[in-house]
Each structure stands twice: as structure tokens, then as C-alpha cells.
Amino acid sequence: MDVMEFFQHSAGRWRSKRTTHHLAFRRSEMGESEIEVKALAAEDPEIIALCESHQVDPSLAVGGCCVTWAASMGWDQEGENHEGKTVFALVPDADKPHSGQLLRDRGYAEIVSVAGHYHMDDDGGLVLVTEYDIMSSVERFWFPSPNVRVRSSTVKRMGGFSTATFCTETRVLPEETGDKVAEQIDPQLLVSPLGW
């Protein structure tokens, strides 16, 4: 599948279970989130506005998505809020359509508008690489089955990895319970590539 098909396949509601490893502290933190993904066509006003804000010709975009989320983490303090919304726009490379620029109005590691790079790897995974002013992040998404999406990410600060995160996301299907979705998961496919 190409990157826009990947976004279209990601459309819908997801429940995410997350483990974040804080490497400097040698501790891990569990979390959960509800995620809503909406695929956006290239002509969508949000895609056009995002391209213009990055000074990119909107006619070069093939589409994107809008993601909203509400999350909680194990170390949360009272009043801490993990809710948000971001828009992604995909601008493929002219000579390599499976890679290109990924424009965001809000980054993963920093809450700023940012342009990163994406590519589809040989295993059908979507890899996002983003360089910020003081850090960088690498995220990889893939589908072990149609209703299970897996995500791993690392955030590197000041010369070393500060966090590594692994998420298992199950699609919320109106006609099925969470147990039926869980039965579709092959446990061997959910082992973290980092060995945790």
C-alpha cells in the first residue's frame, strides 16, 4: 500500500495501550489513549492551509489526515492534560512516491508546527523522521492485522535516546466487543522490536 492508503486504512477510532521507557531513569510508564483518525483528501481546506503555512504548494500534496486523542499516563500529576489534535499533509518526492515530506501543525516531540520526512519500508510500515530544534524523533507504524496497528517511537535529545515507546492500537468496531478484537491478535507479532 502507498502512504495515502496507509492513512485511509488508519481511519477510524482506536484504543491504544502504551509503554514508554524513560531510558535516563531506567523506568517505564504505562498509558492508554483513545484516538480518532480521519483521512483528508488533497482538496481539504485543512490540508491546503497546512501546506500554505509551510510555504509548500498545496497542489503537490496527495492528502493527509486529522488525528485527535485523549490519553492518560501512569505518572500523570493532577490536572495534567494529554488531549490534542493535529493535521498531517503528505507531499511525495517527485522521483520516489513512497517517500516525501510530512507536514504537521503539531509535532510528536514538541508542540510546534514541523516538517518531517516519511517513507514506506519494505515490510509495509510507515516510518516518520522528524528533526526539531533540540531533539529528533523516529516513529514506525505497521498493521499486523487489519484491525491492529502497532507503533514504536524513539525521541533523542542532546546526543542520547531519552525515551522509547511501544504502542498496540486496536480498532474500535461498533459490532464487536474488545474481546473479539483481541482474539484476532497474534501475540508473536506484538513483541517489541527493542526486546522489551
Side-chain angles (χ1 to χ4, degrees):
M1 81 175 75
D2 66 26
V3 67
M4 195 57 215
E5 289 171 332
F6 193 98
F7 275 23
Q8 289 165 343
H9 189 67
S10 296
R13 288 183 56 225
W14 298 85
R15 281 197 188 96
S16 179
K17 301 282 187 179
R18 162 192 310 227
T19 303
T20 298
H21 301 274
H22 300 274
L23 303 180
F25 303 114
R26 298 183 183 181
R27 295 186 61 195
S28 60
E29 178 184 22
M30 305 297 284
E32 297 182 354
S33 57
E34 294 277 335
I35 302 166
E36 180 88 30
V37 180
K38 178 183 173 188
L40 301 176
E43 311 79 40
D44 190 283
E46 289 189 281
I47 296 294
I48 293 169
L50 183 56
C51 288
E52 289 173 346
S53 73
H54 282 273
Q55 300 179 339
V56 171
D57 181 354
S59 69
L60 299 176
V62 294
C65 70
C66 175
V67 180
T68 56
W69 66 90
S72 62
M73 296 297 292
W75 297 354
D76 283 352
Q77 302 293 318
E78 188 174 334
E80 210 164 342
N81 183 356
H82 299 288
E83 295 182 2
K85 172 187 171 185
T86 188
V87 176
F88 299 83
L90 300 163
V91 182
D93 293 334
D95 55 342
K96 294 184 277 185
H98 287 295
S99 64
Q101 272 193 304
L102 180 81
L103 311 178
R104 303 186 198 197
D105 66 346
R106 173 182 174 148
Y108 171 74
E110 292 183 19
I111 305 174
V112 294
S113 181
V114 67
H117 295 279
Y118 72 85
H119 72 270
M120 297 295 296
D121 65 22
D122 293 338
D123 296 320
L126 173 63
V127 179
L128 311 177
V129 179
T130 310
E131 299 287 339
Y132 301 88
D133 288 340
I134 60 170
M135 65 183 73
S136 63
S137 69
V138 178
E139 304 166 81
R140 183 176 187 270
F141 299 78
W142 68 100
F143 288 96
S145 73
N147 295 317
V148 177
R149 191 173 76 167
V150 180
R151 177 163 46 108
S152 64
S153 62
T154 55
V155 176
K156 183 177 181 179
R157 297 175 197 252
M158 296 180 271
F161 289 104
S162 59
T163 59
T165 300
F166 184 76
C167 302
T168 303
E169 299 168 347
T170 54
R171 190 184 303 273
V172 177
L173 300 173
E175 68 276 6
E176 294 186 359
T177 66
D179 292 337
K180 290 183 181 176
V181 172
E183 289 170 6
Q184 299 172 15
I185 303 170
D186 179 350
Q188 292 180 332
L189 295 175
L190 299 181
V191 175
S192 168
L194 303 175
W196 292 318

